Amino acid sequence: MILAALGLLVLASCTTPQTQAGGTLEAMGVLGGTPTKPTLLGKPLDLSQASLSKEGEAFQGNLLPGMVVRVSGTDTGQAIRVQSLEVRVELKGPVASVDVQAGTLVVLGQTVYIDANTRIYEKAPGGYRTLLLSDLRPGDYVEVQGTATEAGIQATYVERYPGPSSQVETEGRVQNLDTAAKTFTLNGFTVDYAQARVEGTPQEGVWAEVKGELSGTTIRAAKVDFKGQGQSGFGTSRRLELEGPLANLDEAAKTFSLLGYTVDYSGAQVVGTLMEGSYVEVKGRVDGGDPTLLHAQLVKAKYPRTRAPKAEAKGQVTDLDPAAMTLALGSLAFYADQNTLLKRDEPDGPIAFGEIRVGDFVEVAYDPTLQDPQGRFYALRVEVKGAMGAEEGEWEGAVQAVDRAQYTFQLLGYTVATDASTRFEAGDQNLTQQDFFALLQPGNWVEVKGTLSGTTIQASEVERKRP
């Protein structure tokens, strides 16, 4: 499930098929970059003339890394000029269970697989905050995007909503179809489509997408779309580019599933090693008779699949040993190996460990239960956000000590200084400086925005994320 070596991610030579600059582009993939500068296929998106939608309605929300989008536009060579962009949702509903060790959650009978490529968010004052799988609880209402298969969903994006809802969305293989009663079973739930708007022909065993209201174990459908898995509106015989986590890899048949399509790579140039769950880019053409089948010309392994992280830290790289693949963010140190996901936000794409520099601002997703003999934690993902300058940066980690008299605390070996202009938040509540420090304890998990000067961070915002 892990790529054998980072070196296998080297870009292809000049024989690799390329998208022609200035040509029409149709693509489906996972957004990268940053919330303010989203990318797709490693290129920034020009959204100045774009029409944005989500589930058939105009979309005016944030485009966040991890979201799955369908894009039509023009590849200018340096960017993608977007004509239309649709955010694709696979699943919405209440969480039934969470298994942090296995890296899974169950929603509406479907297993959702989480790894270091998965982004988990919830809305917060002024934007979004990132979460870990361990932050989710049974009963939470979530939206899931990613690659859906018979076995479940390899998630790239999960959003926890602020409250419960009976409105759900799900998909899967139709079972126990009763056309007289207008019911069928989907992932263990009974779907009543008597009052639904129906697209396609109800048939036993076909793939169906359902939207409706959940009542116990029954979904009273408002809309049901009976269709082949992967029929995403691009039509047959069209050139298409895909990017995301693969599933159902069959090395004998040379096929895998990606974002609803079956990808046939028997005639493709393959760059890197394909393994279950790895993150790939695909260029090819949709089959002339089967809109669910993509014949690939190029398949490029981009990122490995790793386990779900149990902790995250943000900060400036203060120490680095490229040969040993170790780095430190102040007092918090990490080790990496060939299975660690290494990437950069701008320009978006994979990097080698040797490209990381002291002074870079990074986000590290790690497993605190795995340590080397020197006490360094195992890094599952290292994401370079850019070089630290005089502008604001972000730091995240466990509070080491608190000085309530001076309104300062220790974080990652730095002193975090606050003043009357600092904004404080805990549990979605804005607090005064005095109330925040009365609440703050060593070991609390915090995120700090501010400016670094020497060993002192002058904080503009401090959020207590976890006790």
Side-chain angles (χ1 to χ4, degrees):
M1 295 172 64
I2 304 297
L3 288 181
L6 184 64
L8 295 175
L9 298 178
V10 175
L11 296 180
S13 68
C14 60
T15 60
T16 299
Q18 300 291 326
T19 302
Q20 184 175 0
T24 299
L25 173 73
E26 293 183 324
M28 183 180 296
V30 181
L31 290 180
T34 67
T36 56
K37 297 179 180 179
T39 63
L40 184 65
L41 303 169
K43 295 183 179 182
L45 298 181
D46 176 358
L47 300 167
S48 59
Q49 298 180 342
S51 170
L52 307 184
S53 65
K54 180 179 180 181
E55 301 174 295
E57 298 182 0
F59 179 66
Q60 297 180 335
N62 299 85
L63 293 176
L64 301 175
M67 280 184 166
V68 176
V69 298
R70 187 179 76 179
V71 167
S72 295
T74 303
D75 185 346
T76 68
Q78 299 300 314
I80 298 173
R81 185 178 298 121
V82 179
Q83 179 181 4
S84 65
L85 180 150
E86 178 190 2
V87 179
R88 308 281 293 182
V89 177
E90 300 292 343
L91 185 63
K92 276 186 180 180
V95 174
S97 63
V98 179
D99 188 332
V100 176
Q101 290 302 118
T104 61
L105 62 149
V106 176
V107 180
L108 295 177
Q110 290 188 275
T111 300
V112 178
Y113 297 92
I114 306 295
D115 66 12
N117 269 313
T118 309
R119 306 294 182 147
I120 307 177
Y121 300 95
E122 71 175 352
K123 288 183 179 178
Y128 285 78
R129 68 165 62 90
T130 57
L131 302 175
L132 297 168
L133 178 59
S134 57
D135 293 319
L136 301 181
R137 298 287 184 270
D140 286 348
Y141 184 83
V142 297
E143 172 186 315
V144 179
Q145 301 177 27
T147 293
T149 69
E150 305 278 358
I153 299 173
Q154 179 59 53
T156 61
Y157 176 96
V158 177
E159 181 182 340
R160 179 169 70 182
Y161 281 64
S165 173
S166 61
Q167 298 301 308
V168 298
E169 298 181 27
T170 186
E171 61 182 277
R173 196 70 64 186
V174 172
Q175 296 179 313
N176 304 318
L177 176 65
D178 186 334
T179 54
K182 295 188 181 298
T183 62
F184 60 89
T185 303
L186 196 67
N187 303 314
F189 286 77
T190 299
V191 177
D192 177 355
Y193 66 98
Q195 303 300 318
R197 179 164 62 91
V198 175
E199 297 183 5
T201 303
Q203 291 181 355
E204 182 76 14
V206 301
W207 197 263
E209 295 180 355
V210 175
K211 296 181 182 180
E213 183 174 1
L214 179 65
S215 177
T217 59
T218 298
I219 300 173
R220 304 193 187 285
K223 179 182 178 182
V224 179
D225 191 356
F226 296 97
K227 62 181 183 180
Q229 184 183 6
Q231 192 168 348
S232 300
F234 286 114
T236 58
S237 303
R238 307 291 293 273
R239 286 199 56 79
L240 181 63
E241 299 189 28
L242 302 176
E243 178 182 24
L246 67 81
N248 299 331
L249 178 63
D250 187 332
E251 294 180 287
K254 294 190 179 300
T255 62
F256 57 82
S257 299
L258 178 58
L259 300 178
Y261 285 88
T262 296
V263 177
D264 166 21
Y265 67 96
S266 59
Q269 177 184 352
V270 178
V271 181
T273 301
L274 304 181
M275 289 192 171
E276 186 70 19
S278 59
Y279 195 104
V280 296
E281 289 184 8
V282 177
K283 295 182 180 181
R285 185 177 294 276
V286 180
D287 187 81
D290 183 356
T292 75
L293 178 63
L294 179 73
H295 298 287
Q297 292 179 298
L298 170 68
V299 179
K300 183 167 62 178
K302 191 171 182 180
Y303 302 118
R305 180 183 181 181
T306 62
R307 299 187 305 278
K310 298 176 182 177
E312 288 184 338
K314 298 177 184 177
Q316 186 181 21
V317 176
T318 55
D319 189 45
L320 184 70
D321 185 338
M325 296 184 73
T326 63
L327 75 159
L329 311 184
S331 61
L332 196 58
F334 306 95
Y335 72 97
D337 61 19
Q338 71 272 18
N339 298 322
T340 301
L341 190 160
L342 304 170
K343 68 170 296 186
R344 184 186 303 277
D345 274 352
E346 294 185 51
D348 182 77
I351 60 172
F353 195 91
E355 297 179 61
I356 303 172
R357 297 287 183 266
V358 171
D360 281 349
F361 178 70
V362 302
E363 180 178 292
V364 181
Y366 64 100
D367 187 342
T369 67
L370 294 178
Q371 291 181 273
D372 67 6
Q374 288 71 43
R376 291 180 286 242
F377 298 112
Y378 178 58
L380 295 162
R381 184 186 77 238
V382 180
E383 188 168 345
V384 178
K385 300 292 188 178
M388 183 72 73
E391 69 277 5
E392 275 202 336
E394 295 183 21
W395 293 260
E396 183 175 333
V399 172
Q400 296 158 304
V402 181
D403 186 335
R404 292 181 175 81
Q406 298 297 319
Y407 294 119
T408 65
F409 59 90
Q410 299 296 309
L411 176 68
L412 302 173
Y414 298 102
T415 297
V416 178
T418 68
D419 57 27
S421 67
T422 305
R423 187 172 72 84
F424 299 92
E425 182 184 339
D428 290 334
Q429 299 294 320
N430 291 325
L431 301 177
T432 66
Q433 185 184 51
Q434 184 176 4
D435 288 343
F436 183 85
F437 273 86
L439 182 68
L440 191 64
Q441 300 292 332
N444 287 173
W445 202 266
V446 298
E447 183 175 75
V448 175
K449 295 182 180 180
T451 304
L452 179 66
S453 177
T455 60
T456 299
I457 301 169
Q458 183 59 50
S460 61
E461 298 181 26
V462 181
E463 179 186 356
R464 179 177 177 263
K465 297 183 74 171
R466 302 178 195 95

